[in-house]
């Protein structure tokens, strides 16, 4: 999906030139000649980056940058016809990421845009959590891929339902799982009051785990609530 760049400059020739170069690089461009329309665009569209002229007929670029930073973190590059350090300091203080003085080479702007986008992606990249395929809980090893379960290296002969019960409890390790939640997760049906199905399967599972009924090592009963495998 093309990244969306907001370009705001009241000098139409400059805005049109930037739009052309950005389009040629595969970006989607939202172009405006005033700050009011630009702010409306930001509120109604997903923007990946903004290129803002400082001097605009209504709202100056500094104000737009300040408004952006109230709710958004995407990169902002400021454009100005002035080369004064105070303008640069003002823009950076308000949250701008870069500053380019007019006149400029459009290729330089493109290079700065790409640099800021790469930096933004790198610092804001969120890694997807890896799916857990195996649990090892005090000698009890259960593997989702192989659909096998070992107790102290001895393979347990579990039915598919028993395996699913044990796996679900392992995924909730440390938490108490109500009987209703366990039933609906394993059997994929609505739980009905006075349903002893879960209790019966837990009892058979405990036998295969060689659990003590009074002091179970793995599946513990929290009376009136449900079942738990402690961490």
């Amino acid at each position: 999906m093309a990244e969306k760049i907001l370009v705001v400059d009241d000098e139409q020739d400059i805005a049109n030139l930037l739009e052309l170069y950005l389009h040629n690089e595969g970006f989607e461009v939202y172009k405006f000649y005033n700050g009011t329309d630009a702010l409306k665009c930001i509120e109604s569209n997903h923007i990946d980056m903004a290129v803002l002229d400082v001097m605009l007929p209504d709202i100056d670029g500094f104000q737009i940058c300040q408004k952006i930073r109230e709710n958004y973190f995407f990169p902002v590059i400021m454009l100005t016809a002035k080369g004064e350090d105070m303008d640069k300091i003002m823009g950076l203080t308000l949250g701008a990421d870069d500053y380019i003085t007019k006149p400029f080479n459009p290729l330089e702007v493109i290079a700065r845009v790409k640099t800021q986008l790469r930096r933004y992606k790198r610092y804001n990249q969120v890694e997807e959590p890896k799916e857990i395929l195996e649990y090892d809980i005090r000698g009890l090893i259960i593997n989702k891929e192989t659909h096998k379960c070992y107790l102290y290296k001895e393979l347990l002969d579990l039915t598919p339902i028993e395996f699913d019960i044990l796996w679900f409890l392992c995924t909730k390790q440390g938490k108490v799982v109500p009987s209703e939640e366990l039933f609906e997760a394993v059997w994929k049906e609505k739980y009905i009051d006075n349903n002893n199905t879960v209790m019966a399967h837990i009892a058979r599972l405990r036998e295969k785990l060689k659990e003590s009924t009074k002091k179970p090592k793995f599946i513990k009963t929290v009376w009136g609530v449900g079942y738990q495998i402690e961490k």
Side-chain angles (χ1 to χ4, degrees):
M1 182 180 294
E3 289 157 312
K4 298 176 174 60
I5 311 296
L6 175 70
V7 173
V8 189
D9 198 314
D10 63 333
E11 296 183 64
Q12 296 189 19
D13 289 344
I14 292 178
N16 294 341
L17 184 64
L18 289 176
E19 180 184 34
L20 175 63
Y21 274 80
L22 288 166
H23 270 315
N24 288 342
E25 293 296 325
F27 296 110
E28 184 176 341
V29 179
Y30 292 91
K31 179 184 63 178
F32 298 95
Y33 306 126
N34 64 76
T36 303
D37 291 340
L39 288 174
K40 290 178 182 178
C41 174
I42 293 170
E43 292 174 358
S44 57
N45 295 278
H46 171 80
I47 300 296
D48 295 297
M49 185 171 184
V51 180
L52 308 175
D53 185 24
V54 170
M55 301 301 293
L56 293 169
D58 51 355
I59 306 172
D60 66 39
F62 295 138
Q63 291 175 288
I64 298 174
C65 182
Q66 192 171 25
K67 287 284 187 182
I68 288 173
R69 285 294 172 256
E70 289 176 2
N71 297 295
Y72 306 99
F73 299 98
F74 55 75
V76 174
I77 293 178
M78 305 295 294
L79 302 177
T80 181
K82 300 176 182 178
E84 299 176 5
D85 287 341
M86 283 308 299
D87 282 339
K88 183 175 182 179
I89 293 170
M90 174 68 76
L92 296 175
T93 301
L94 292 174
D97 298 275
D98 204 353
Y99 194 97
I100 300 175
T101 303
K102 297 177 182 179
F104 51 76
N105 184 331
L107 294 176
E108 179 188 357
V109 179
I110 298 301
R112 300 276 192 99
V113 165
K114 290 181 177 180
T115 297
Q116 290 300 329
L117 285 172
R118 281 197 301 269
R119 184 176 299 168
Y120 177 71
K121 288 179 182 177
R122 183 167 67 248
Y123 289 140
N124 292 276
Q125 190 173 22
V126 178
E127 292 186 5
E128 291 292 330
K130 294 182 179 178
E131 182 184 6
I132 297 175
L133 299 174
E134 182 176 281
Y135 288 94
D136 184 346
I137 303 172
R138 301 182 294 280
L140 174 66
I141 298 175
I142 183 168
N143 189 291
K144 186 178 181 181
E145 280 190 315
T146 62
H147 219 265
K148 290 182 179 180
C149 182
Y150 295 86
L151 180 60
Y152 309 127
K153 298 183 179 181
E154 179 184 345
L155 180 64
L156 299 180
D157 183 21
L158 302 183
T159 67
I161 289 292
E162 290 166 349
F163 182 94
D164 288 347
I165 290 173
L166 188 56
W167 177 262
F168 189 76
L169 290 173
C170 287
T171 66
K172 302 290 185 178
Q173 187 181 357
K175 299 179 180 178
V176 179
V177 180
S179 298
E180 301 88 44
E181 181 182 347
L182 184 56
F183 180 86
E184 292 176 5
V186 174
W187 278 269
K188 313 296 183 187
E189 296 176 8
K190 188 68 179 174
Y191 183 83
I192 301 175
D193 289 341
N194 301 319
N195 189 333
N196 294 320
T197 304
V198 172
M199 185 184 301
H201 279 81
I202 290 287
R204 287 198 292 271
L205 190 51
R206 280 175 169 158
E207 289 179 10
K208 294 183 179 182
L209 291 171
K210 302 179 177 136
E211 292 266 64
S212 165
T213 54
K214 293 184 178 180
K215 293 184 177 181
K217 183 177 180 181
F218 297 107
I219 304 175
K220 298 191 176 182
T221 300
V222 180
W223 295 108
V225 184
Y227 302 95
Q228 177 188 37
I229 290 182
E230 294 181 342
K231 289 188 176 181

